[in-house]
């Protein structure tokens, strides 16, 4: 199954300047790879906090950064 966020995801729909090859690599390894989207840092933040809390420059492989974002949200009472 491809990522359900495909249409609304900035990472998937906007080409980052100078990073198109890297972007294509992650698109094929997360966005359209069967169920791999569940490991995507952007997907994780979006599911837990909402799309508006996903930083534009968050890459799918940055799970540690996603965890920090969730911890910070938790410390501010935005996440239970
Ligand atoms: S970057 Fe992540 S959230 Fe966005 S479409 Fe790809 S897998 Fe889904």
């Amino acid at each position: 199954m491809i990522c359900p966020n495909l249409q609304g995801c900035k990472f998937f729909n906007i080409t980052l300047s100078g990073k198109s090859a890297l972007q294509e690599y992650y698109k094929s390894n997360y966005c359209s790879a069967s169920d791999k989207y569940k490991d995507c840092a952007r997907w994780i933040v979006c599911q837990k906090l909402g799309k508006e809390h996903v930083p534009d420059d968050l890459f799918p492989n940055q799970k540690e950064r996603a965890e920090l974002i969730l911890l910070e949200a938790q410390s501010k009472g935005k996440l239970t």
Side-chain angles (χ1 to χ4, degrees):
M1 184 178 168
I2 61 170
C3 179
N5 277 2
L6 216 72
Q7 282 194 326
C9 181
K10 285 185 180 176
F11 182 86
F12 192 82
N13 295 293
I14 295 171
T15 302
L16 299 169
S17 166
K19 296 192 174 168
S20 60
L22 198 56
Q23 224 175 338
E24 288 309 314
Y25 171 81
Y26 287 123
K27 281 183 188 179
S28 60
N29 282 281
Y30 284 88
C31 313
S32 42
S34 116
D35 281 356
K36 188 74 170 118
Y37 70 88
K38 291 177 184 171
D39 283 331
C40 171
R42 298 184 67 87
W43 167 261
I44 291 167
V45 173
C46 185
Q47 287 303 293
K48 298 275 187 183
L49 289 174
K51 166 165 112 170
E52 66 277 16
H53 294 279
V54 180
D56 287 350
D57 64 349
L58 183 65
F59 268 63
N61 64 319
Q62 294 180 315
K63 264 178 101 171
E64 285 182 14
R65 187 174 168 202
E67 285 165 17
L68 287 175
I69 292 168
L70 297 180
L71 276 175
E72 189 179 335
Q74 191 174 29
S75 74
K76 291 178 179 171
K78 293 180 184 169
L79 185 69
T80 53

